[in-house]
Amino acid sequence: MSTQTKNRKILLAGVFGPFGVDDEFGRKENIMELFHNQVTKAQGVASFRFHHRSFGLYFIAANIDADVTVLDFPSRARFAREVRRGGYDIVGISFIAPNRDKAAEMARVVRSLSPSSEIILGGHGAAIEGIEQSIDCDHVVKGEGIRWMRAHLGQNPDAPINHPALRSTERASILGVPFLDTPASLLVPGVGCVNGCSFCSTSHFFGRAYTPFVATGEALFDTACRIADERGTDDFFVMDENFLKDRQRAVELLEAMERHRRFFRFHIFSSAEAITAFGLDNMVRLGVDLVWIGFESRSRQSLYAKNAGIEPRKLVRDLRDRGIAVLASGILCMEHHTPDNMQSDIDFLVGLESDLVQFMLLTPMPVTALYQDQKRRGLLRTDLPLQEWHGQTKLAYHHPAFSGDEPGQWMEEAFRQDYETNSSSMLRMVETAIRGYEHLSSLPNRDACLEARRRQFEKQARVWRLILPAVRRHAVNELERRRTDELSRRAEGLFGLRTWERLAGFGTAALAALWKLRLDVRGDGIQPRTVVTRYKKQSATMTGSRFGRQPMLEDQARRQLPPAAAAFSRLG
Ligand code: B12
Ligand code: SF4
């Protein structure tokens, strides 16, 4: 029977947990949380906590016509049970390089429990050299998976992409205070980036090209409307490596929003040159409320064309003055770094005074130009297991000036310095929202768009400032306590303080105290819950037309949220 007519039963799985623990398959540094892993990790009780799903799998499932089960965050036993009972023709495994050993174990499980299943490996781990030989599998997909999977099933690879409606985060909380509002939706306008910075996995994995999933601003607007209506929130986490790089599309999106008076809000990733080309005031109009910018290194700006001619400190200040929170990322232990000169790069990143900072060790991930270059020069550390290629403790290449755990100690110190100097990120983000509100309030003329933005900043600042009593109570030092008091007074001057808001402030402080107790007693690990989503085949052959492919069933082990004194509107 040809693949065109046969309904193939497919399992798409992310790697198994537990995550962020030292065991046979992983390391404690591989935490399944974006901010707690690599951004706010030093901020203890004030760290931002949330999980992201393995989004690529849902995109593939939503764009092929077959019975598909997506199994996210399984345990090893849960994965084995699904394989044994499911009768799957195909098992697809998504993994990244540090999870190579988990993918290998999953392939072994499939071969032993369901020998007739075809095994397909995908995700960034597929770039590992020789992976075809080192893991027992049938196919390795390097790059974009939707087109590949459609072609593999005999379906039209060029059919339009159906963007699934997904929440961006699971179980979001800060200082133990859960976000009770509908979490922001995920928007993936495309994958890859043309800039090709030498260390960048995502750019190289997709061939230093950009593959749009939603190609025009109009289409992006329609997609955002559909998802927002379905999920009940106008907030989006935009998973696109360099969203403003396609300036034309972003301008069209803004025009459509203004024409229809539908004002979404976006968390985005963008390079400094793309931000500058689009314009900061346009970003306010577009509704960007958080932007992740790679500043990388002051001492080697010449390596990154995207930062040429940019004044980083001014850029961050100007963005925050407009209410746009900034996550600045930088790289430590680059080849030119020594214990004598690295501190100046750390001081540079801390001195940007951004809301959030990511420090990461330079890591030559497979497929990148950096990897090829260091391989050629014999610098790669073939002795370091891939589980440890997470860029947080040891270097994956030989460095004359740093060895053993020294790089990790520098990172820890850098995170600590940022926290002690700039206070908790929560405090900084409340301040940024207030700055945005003040900025827009001070403008003599506001059209409908800017008025909508001003109201959004007001709402955000009013809700977020409820957490200030908790921030104060768990402040890292006297400086943060003083800043919190000043900010509380500033907020009260702008918005007053109603009785319920005062009470909510006590509530957040109580929740934070409980959270602190939990961290002290049980440690700070949080495992994501297993999520099983089943999609039913819709037709015998898939046409090129749009098809609204929705999951038939989503099954998530639910847990009661603790009672909350405050509902935080959005983040990530
Ligand atoms: C969200 C995310 C996470 C989430 C985890 C989500 C999850 N449930 O696994 C969090 C925040 C927890 C996380 C943590 C880490 N991550 Co991460 N993460 C990302 C991020 C930002 C987005 C991934 C995404 O959803 N993209 C959008 C989807 C649509 O694209 P995609 O996943 O690439 O999927 C497409 C293809 O790859 C392919 N595909 C994917 N899976 C499969 C499976 C099959 C069968 C097929 C056929 C195809 C296929 O088809 C998809 C559609 O085109 C990427 C960077 C990026 N922009 O991609 C880094 C990235 C994947 N992470 C990375 C790393 C290294 C880590 C960490 C080690 C920490 C760190 N140092 O950054 C930890 C490890 C955690 C762990 N225990 O696994 C690296 C991987 C590098 C590599 N070469 O392996 C990336 C590329 C970041 C980077 N630039 O270095 N991460
Ligand atoms: S600009 Fe960002 S996403 Fe693009 S290649 Fe450079 S690091 Fe990667």
Side-chain angles (χ1 to χ4, degrees), residues 192-197 199-200 202-203 241-242 271 273 296 306:
C193 172
V194 296
N195 280 6
C197 298
F199 65 87
C200 180
T202 24
S203 182
E241 283 292 73
N242 201 349
S271 58
E273 35 105 49
E296 321 308 4
K306 63 183 178 178

Side-chain angles (χ1 to χ4, degrees), residues 17-22 26-32 102 525 527:
F19 306 98
V21 296
D22 281 333
R27 290 289 182 273
K28 65 178 182 324
E29 289 81 8
N30 292 330
I31 295 173
M32 225 5 133
K102 294 193 176 192
Q527 295 297 329

